[in-house]
Amino acid sequence: MAEMQSVEAALVALLRDVAPTPPERLTCDKAAGRVLAEAIEARLDVPAFDNSAMDGYALHHRDAGKRLPVAQRIAAGSPAAPLAPGTCARIFTGGELPPGADCVVMQERVEVAADLAAIPPDIPAGDNVRRRGRDVTAGAPLLPAGERLEAAALGHLAGQGITEVVVRRRPRVALLSTGDEIVDPGQPLAAGQIYNSNRPMLRRLLERFGAELTLVTSIPDDPAGTRETLSAAAQEADLVISTGGVSVGEEDHVKAALASLGQLDLWRLAIRPGKPLALGRLPGREGREVRFVGLPGNPVSCFVGAWLFLRPLLGALQGCQGLAQLPCLRARADFSTQTGPRRHYMRVMLEFGEDGVLARAFRDQNSGVLSSCISADALAVVPAQSRIEPGDPVDCLWLRVE
């Protein structure tokens, strides 16, 4: 019997010598969720000029406490003329601060009568002013290589007038289902058959992790057909994923096919759920090595394996460090459990309160209970050969991330 390996050993084997996918140029309107292949420097100062942070009156702080003539009106997008000493300007949020002014008083604090504005005293220089370059300075780093282009990053690019970026090509993934008992939804069920819940679940997770699914199909329960399908998938994909077929049953052919075609790096993990998980490599087109991950067939094991292994692998294939590790929170357990030789990943909901974070475990932690994953906020990590009682600290891997 092969010795069970740790998650850490599996990740080392999985990520060894992974090279990012080739770069490609995209317009920014098509780059959402993609990973930058090149660092970007700022072209412009942001803000591009000193401007008002609110609606009010612009003046020099030395003129505070006086009644000042309103010399001009400055709306956002309009040019500002120099401000003469002893005057003020009506200004609106985003409006350019006129030369000669160094502060803005909010309109609620100013009384205006007969075109004279009564300015309160003790207004400091810089008050309510957004200085040029406060956010970004031209020539400074804007976004690093490996940054995933989500909402704020796309806004950052737009603020620079940037319309194209160089990103990593999406990793091409082949998703294979094994088992003659697995039937696609919409098809009639024969005796002993079940619907394929893993496929839509993994499709969504893989898309969230940045993958492009180029092949989605089923593998027949026979050795020759399994080898043929794995070999064909490796010619088209950067990563081949299978569900089921990696245990020790007579109809579990994936592990043997992988070993005959390529290389089996690791099998059997010291985790619960998800012990029968195979990691390896397949020969691809033009001598490339294509990564292979064989996930267990049980839905929860498949779900947990996707977060623990597929996410960091797809991060490495995109050169995105942000996908390498799930954020870890320290919480107090509201449950009791005892583990044997395998580390346990429990589905929990997190409650945030004044006294910290409470992890509430789902009552049924069986690997076939997929409903436990729907509302799960995190995976509570319970080390092997340990006991947890209510109130004990427990590390939780946060799942509410992109």
Side-chain angles (χ1 to χ4, degrees), residues 25-386:
R25 185 175 293 275
L26 289 180
T27 57
C28 288
D29 61 345
K30 296 181 179 178
R34 303 296 288 272
V35 176
L36 283 177
E38 298 177 354
I40 297 177
E41 287 189 354
R43 301 173 179 177
L44 306 170
D45 291 337
V46 178
F49 46 81
D50 293 350
N51 67 88
S52 178
M54 60 183 56
D55 294 349
Y57 293 83
L59 64 144
H60 196 283
H61 75 280
R62 288 194 300 264
D63 291 327
K66 302 176 182 177
R67 295 176 64 83
L68 304 176
V70 181
Q72 59 179 303
R73 183 180 186 275
I74 308 169
S78 300
L83 189 69
T87 68
C88 66
R90 179 73 166 113
I91 196 167
F92 298 89
T93 303
E96 182 182 6
L97 195 71
D102 65 1
C103 62
V104 174
V105 183
M106 68 175 66
Q107 62 187 12
E108 292 83 358
R109 299 187 62 194
V110 177
E111 293 184 4
V112 180
D115 290 329
L116 291 176
I119 307 296
D122 301 323
I123 305 299
D127 203 29
N128 299 318
V129 173
R130 294 186 291 218
R131 291 296 183 190
R132 175 175 181 167
R134 176 177 179 173
D135 186 16
V136 178
T137 303
L142 185 74
L143 294 171
E147 180 75 24
R148 201 171 187 193
L149 297 177
E150 300 298 350
L154 290 167
H156 221 27
L157 293 171
Q160 294 289 311
I162 294 172
T163 59
E164 290 187 339
V165 286
V166 178
V167 297
R168 291 291 172 189
R169 174 175 59 72
R170 289 190 187 276
R172 296 168 179 158
V173 174
L175 179 57
L176 313 177
S177 303
T178 72
D180 289 342
E181 78 280 10
I182 303 299
V183 178
D184 288 334
Q187 302 298 315
L189 285 177
Q193 292 184 322
I194 58 173
Y195 285 122
N196 190 345
S197 58
N198 285 330
R199 179 177 288 172
M201 176 179 69
L202 284 177
R203 183 192 290 270
R204 176 59 184 146
L205 287 174
L206 290 167
E207 289 171 349
R208 287 180 62 185
F209 302 158
E212 176 188 1
L213 272 71
T214 55
L215 175 65
V216 179
T217 189
S218 299
I219 299 179
D221 268 345
D222 71 84
T226 300
R227 286 194 299 272
E228 180 180 344
T229 305
L230 286 181
S231 179
Q235 302 307 305
E236 305 297 331
D238 303 302
L239 168 62
V240 177
I241 301 168
S242 73
T243 57
V246 292
S247 192
V248 294
E250 292 182 5
E251 296 299 327
D252 291 332
H253 304 298
V254 172
K255 184 167 68 72
L258 171 65
S260 68
L261 290 170
Q263 177 179 327
L264 177 63
D265 290 328
L266 187 145
W267 176 62
R268 287 171 50 87
L269 298 184
I271 65 173
R272 177 186 173 202
K275 180 175 71 172
L277 186 144
L279 306 178
R281 307 160 197 234
L282 290 163
R285 182 179 296 178
E286 299 176 351
R288 295 183 307 115
E289 268 194 342
V290 175
R291 300 292 161 147
F292 172 85
V293 178
L295 295 171
N298 281 330
V300 177
S301 301
C302 194
F303 179 84
V304 171
W307 283 100
L308 295 183
F309 301 106
L310 297 185
R311 187 175 187 268
L313 176 54
L314 286 165
L317 285 168
Q318 296 170 87
C320 180
Q321 185 62 31
L323 290 172
Q325 291 182 323
L326 287 168
C328 185
L329 306 176
R330 177 60 64 94
R332 291 178 293 108
D334 85 328
F335 56 87
S336 61
T337 190
Q338 184 168 355
T339 57
R342 292 188 284 164
R343 183 186 300 173
H344 195 179
Y345 290 86
M346 300 180 65
R347 282 78 68 206
V348 297
M349 293 181 293
L350 300 181
E351 294 182 4
F352 296 83
E354 293 182 358
D355 55 349
V357 185
L358 184 67
R360 294 193 179 278
F362 288 89
R363 180 175 299 178
D364 192 344
Q365 293 284 324
N366 185 274
S367 62
V369 181
L370 186 57
S371 58
S372 66
C373 300
I374 295 173
S375 300
D377 298 311
L379 299 174
V381 184
V382 183
Q385 308 293 1
S386 64

